[in-house]
Amino acid sequence: MTTAIERWTSDDPRDARLALGATGLLRTFNHAGVLTAADVHVARRTADIVGEDDESVRLAVALAVRAVRQGSVCVDLGAFDDSGTSGVAGTERGPDETPLPWPAADGWLDRVAASALAERSVVRADLGLLYLDRYWREERLVRDDLVARLAAPAPPVDDALLEDGAARLFPGDAYAEQRRAALSTVRRLTTVLTGGPGRGKTTTVAGLLALLAEQAEHAGGRRLRIALAAPTGKAAARLQEAVAEALAARPETGRPEFTDDDRRRLAGLQAGTLHRLLGRRPGSSTRFRHDREGRLPHDVVVVDETSMVSLTLMARLLEAVRPDARLVLVGDPDQLASVEAGAVLADLVAGLGQRADGVVAALVTDHRSESAAITRLAAAIQDGDPAAVLAELEAGDGAVELVHPDDAAGLADLQDELTRHALDVRGLALAGQAAEALALAERHRLLCAHREGPWGAAHWNRQIERRLGAASGVYLGAAVGTEWYAGRPVLITANDYGLGLFNGDTGVVVAEGDALRAHLSDGASFAVSRLGDVETLHAMTVHKSQGSQAETVTVLLPDEGSPLLTRELLYTAVTRARRRVRVVGTPEAVRAAVERRARRASGLAERLRSDVPSE
Ligand SMILES: Nc1ncnc2c1ncn2[C@@H]1O[C@H](COP(=O)(O)OP(=O)(O)OP(=O)(O)O)[C@@H](O)[C@H]1O
């Protein structure tokens, strides 16, 4: 199988992606837009250190670096087209579409495997794939830790108590799917719990924790130590809120019945980010305070939004969790993968999903009645059926809608609606009504595939600020000095442990007398001068929207040639909506998105499938 390769294009001879002084194949592939200067630099430096001058080996290393930059953990050299023509399809078409001199796939990986770079363990050839050493190690760590966990004896449970508890917390036919998943999870050390939005994952987690706490108390042990974690602060806050809500729900026939004993056993349950759970280690972003030598004290570790967990973070998590602690990885494997390299959740499902022992428990029943059209749309996207996706979008029942970018009236309506929304938020913010401003701001999200360009988040943020400023009669946004204004919706883009701010937190700026304060959705508020890493949130990228939802979502699709346009991106974007989703794009762009998979090269699924211990 050959892979179409993405190329960047530029007319600027001083483009920073061009590597100065590169020669041979590295230069050719750099100038053709396949490699960036950084890829070339790493390949040249490492090859020079070990005296490796085989050009095809140098190119292979640069391609491995490129692969990681693009989210894969390895590269399949055999997937490139060695004829240099048809496989090099250049999705971002530029002036230089000349065939590339790919080394013949036959024997290429073997040459790399026999090279000085492999001998010095800079790169590893394994499973027919080429890895940079670090990712090869991490992939094997994840596999080895998981296989060890799967082979370990199941924790003891009191079966009669468990069955009674499950009947109380997951009553009747309506909760049968979740009951099965919860029972299987309690009886195992490790579970991957999957399901799309509204499939009842959080409800399952809440009931499951009550079952585990009951078992622990019955066994006469100490109070169960539970860690609830998610990759972003926003996702952690949602998890905590949803679990607390489920626990507090008033008794109702046919619904889960949490008792005062359950609430007592689970009192004070808090969720936090995975980074916080693992504990920062000053000066390192890939190592944590808790590791194999200093394990986490928890008896149960539940991770939500696992699709956003990179290979590196999963390796660190698995080595930190006690081997006898229960681990529950919850998430939606059809969503976009982590920003950093890896597609761990999808790999776990692909590698372990066929096992008969139920390590992967899938929740498939949709429990949100208000979103039936969104559910059908999401299912058609998952099925990779562009005709069904377009039919849903064009059915026009109000909950889902397609706006053609050439439809001037439709676009003008959209812009008016976005401006009105921004103005209403600003009105509440100027009046100092923080809670109302925040609630309104969070009701709608404008999502873009790209950051830059005419359909990018940066452009739409500026557009809305301009219109907002024009309607308010003041200059707002963009320039230094006017970037803070009442009604500015904000997204926190980096963790600040001192202030208790987390990447992914959202809020809105509110006028309080002469001062401006940012009110965040978790209830905290800060003088705007204290906030460093923030972005304006009139529009955001789909990638950054992961782990959050809004009542209404508008998705702006780029044209069909964009390499970012994938099935996973469209699925993630439309499933952010609870009630209504509007897709702005051509039918061709929708079709291209549904047909293109965001494939990430990885050997993890195969390693898990083969179940052979690493030597
Ligand atoms: N078996 C069920 N029968 C009826 N309603 C249910 C059932 N399970 C969950 N619900 C309700 O459906 C809604 C979604 O459930 P839940 O929040 O557990 O799903 P989720 O998979 O965690 O969704 P998301 O990830 O989108 O938050 C909630 O209002 C919940 O109370």
Side-chain angles (χ1 to χ4, degrees):
M1 195 191 78
T2 60
T3 312
I5 192 157
E6 265 167 44
R7 301 205 213 176
W8 51 269
T9 56
S10 170
D11 297 331
D12 179 1
R14 283 176 307 186
D15 192 303
R17 290 170 295 188
L18 287 173
L20 295 175
T23 54
L25 282 179
L26 288 179
R27 181 177 197 283
T28 308
F29 279 75
N30 176 225
H31 282 250
V34 174
L35 301 174
T36 63
D39 307 332
V40 172
H41 180 72
V42 175
R44 258 173 38 186
R45 247 184 79 90
T46 47
D48 286 349
I49 289 170
V50 302
E52 177 59 65
D53 48 21
D54 181 330
E55 281 196 39
S56 70
V57 173
R58 286 171 164 244
L59 176 63
V61 175
L63 289 168
V65 178
R66 171 187 185 273
V68 168
R69 182 167 53 74
Q70 298 192 332
S72 291
V73 299
C74 55
V75 60
D76 180 359
L77 296 177
F80 296 116
D81 184 39
D82 58 349
S83 73
T85 50
S86 61
V88 191
T91 32
E92 278 188 90
R93 229 158 283 282
D96 185 6
E97 272 312 85
T98 45
L100 283 164
W102 289 99
D106 241 9
W108 189 6
L109 184 62
D110 294 340
R111 276 201 304 288
V112 185
S115 72
L117 282 161
E119 199 177 303
R120 301 277 197 95
S121 305
V122 174
V123 289
R124 306 276 189 163
D126 194 8
L127 302 174
L129 302 163
L130 183 67
Y131 291 80
L132 298 178
D133 181 61
R134 169 181 151 190
Y135 296 95
W136 178 78
R137 283 177 189 281
E138 287 176 353
E139 195 172 279
R140 288 172 26 123
L141 277 177
V142 166
R143 184 226 169 259
D144 288 353
D145 279 340
L146 274 171
V147 169
R149 292 186 64 87
L150 295 173
V157 290
D158 181 318
D159 262 312
L161 184 71
L162 179 60
E163 293 288 346
D164 279 357
R168 173 171 62 84
L169 291 158
F170 300 99
D173 288 348
Y175 287 85
E177 183 178 74
Q178 288 145 300
R179 187 167 61 243
R180 269 196 304 278
L183 283 170
S184 152
T185 306
V186 174
R187 291 186 172 120
R188 314 181 47 83
L189 210 49
T190 311
T191 303
V192 181
L193 181 65
T194 67
R199 299 307 194 268
K201 299 184 295 296
T202 319
T203 307
T204 309
V205 168
L208 165 73
L209 294 177
L211 291 175
L212 289 171
E214 188 178 37
Q215 289 283 331
E217 190 170 277
H218 180 73
R222 51 178 165 61
R223 190 184 152 98
L224 199 65
R225 284 168 302 190
I226 299 169
L228 288 184
T232 68
K234 181 82 182 168
R238 266 190 72 203
L239 173 65
Q240 179 169 324
E241 205 177 297
V243 170
E245 241 170 58
L247 279 170
R250 273 184 294 123
E252 219 177 293
T253 317
R255 308 279 288 180
E257 187 196 325
F258 288 93
T259 62
D260 285 342
D261 277 335
D262 293 324
R263 283 185 274 274
R264 172 181 52 76
R265 293 183 197 114
L266 297 175
L269 203 57
Q270 297 245 319
T273 62
L274 267 174
H275 281 83
R276 172 161 274 195
L277 175 69
L278 295 175
R280 262 188 322 152
R281 204 192 264 187
S284 175
S285 60
T286 54
R287 290 279 163 189
F288 296 93
R289 208 152 49 74
H290 289 289
D291 57 15
R292 219 173 282 280
E293 274 69 53
R295 305 262 188 179
L296 288 165
H298 304 90
D299 307 303
V300 180
V301 177
V302 178
V303 179
D304 198 9
E305 300 285 355
T306 306
S307 59
M308 295 165 77
V309 177
S310 67
L311 177 68
T312 302
L313 193 53
M314 184 56 78
R316 298 292 93 86
L317 172 69
L318 286 170
E319 65 187 13
V321 177
R322 276 194 353 245
D324 62 339
R326 275 198 188 71
L327 176 64
V328 188
L329 301 170
V330 186
D332 180 354
D334 291 318
Q335 277 195 39
L336 281 170
S338 51
V339 174
E340 279 152 17
V344 182
L345 182 64
D347 285 347
L348 294 190
V349 172
L352 301 172
Q354 304 309 315
R355 291 169 61 117
D357 60 2
V359 54
V360 178
L363 300 175
V364 298
T365 310
D366 187 10
H367 298 293
R368 284 218 191 103
S369 50
E370 79 263 32
S371 55
I374 298 175
T375 303
R376 287 197 304 273
L377 176 63
I381 296 171
Q382 278 172 312
D383 289 348
D385 184 345
V389 172
L390 284 167
E392 283 297 338
L393 282 170
E394 282 160 357
D397 79 341
V400 302
E401 183 189 352
L402 182 67
V403 177
H404 200 290
D406 294 336
D407 170 5
L411 264 192
D413 283 352
L414 171 65
Q415 284 181 330
D416 285 347
E417 194 183 318
L418 296 175
T419 309
R420 226 177 12 256
H421 180 251
L423 266 171
D424 289 346
V425 172
R426 180 166 160 79
L428 291 166
L430 280 168
Q433 292 178 264
E436 291 79 0
L438 197 52
L440 185 60
E442 308 256 301
R443 208 174 291 160
H444 176 260
R445 287 276 178 255
L446 177 61
L447 305 182
C448 306
H450 290 256
R451 266 193 64 76
E452 306 298 335
W455 297 102
H459 173 78
W460 282 75
N461 264 319
R462 278 195 300 277
Q463 285 279 320
I464 295 170
E465 279 184 335
R466 250 183 353 99
R467 289 172 141 252
L468 186 61
S472 316
V474 282
Y475 188 85
L476 298 177
V480 176
T482 58
E483 72 271 43
W484 290 109
Y485 54 88
R488 178 188 179 192
V490 288
L491 172 72
I492 307 295
T493 55
N495 295 341
D496 182 330
Y497 292 89
L499 289 182
L501 288 172
F502 294 100
N503 187 3
D505 284 351
T506 54
V508 70
V509 176
V510 174
E512 291 183 7
D514 287 342
L516 290 174
R517 278 185 88 77
H519 285 255
L520 302 188
S521 53
D522 66 0
S525 76
F526 301 90
V528 294
S529 57
R530 300 186 70 190
L531 301 181
D533 297 299
V534 289
E535 284 176 10
T536 305
L537 191 54
H538 294 298
M540 77 194 300
T541 62
V542 179
H543 280 85
K544 291 207 168 142
S545 74
Q546 284 186 84
S548 69
Q549 282 198 307
E551 205 172 287
T552 304
V553 165
T554 304
V555 189
L556 302 184
L557 296 183
D559 73 47
E560 71 265 27
S562 165
L564 287 187
L565 203 53
T566 60
R567 186 181 302 174
E568 289 75 6
L569 178 111
L570 186 59
Y571 173 82
T572 304
V574 306
T575 53
R576 295 312 88 210
R578 284 184 188 277
R579 282 178 187 275
R580 184 172 165 220
V581 64
R582 177 171 39 193
V583 176
V584 182
T586 60
E588 292 72 32
V590 172
R591 204 167 288 126
V594 175
E595 282 171 352
R596 189 183 295 132
R597 304 300 306 269
R599 293 229 181 267
R600 289 189 164 191
S602 150
L604 184 57
E606 189 180 337
R607 286 183 208 280
L608 289 168
R609 237 179 265 126
S610 64
D611 217 7
V612 183
S614 303
E615 75 285 359

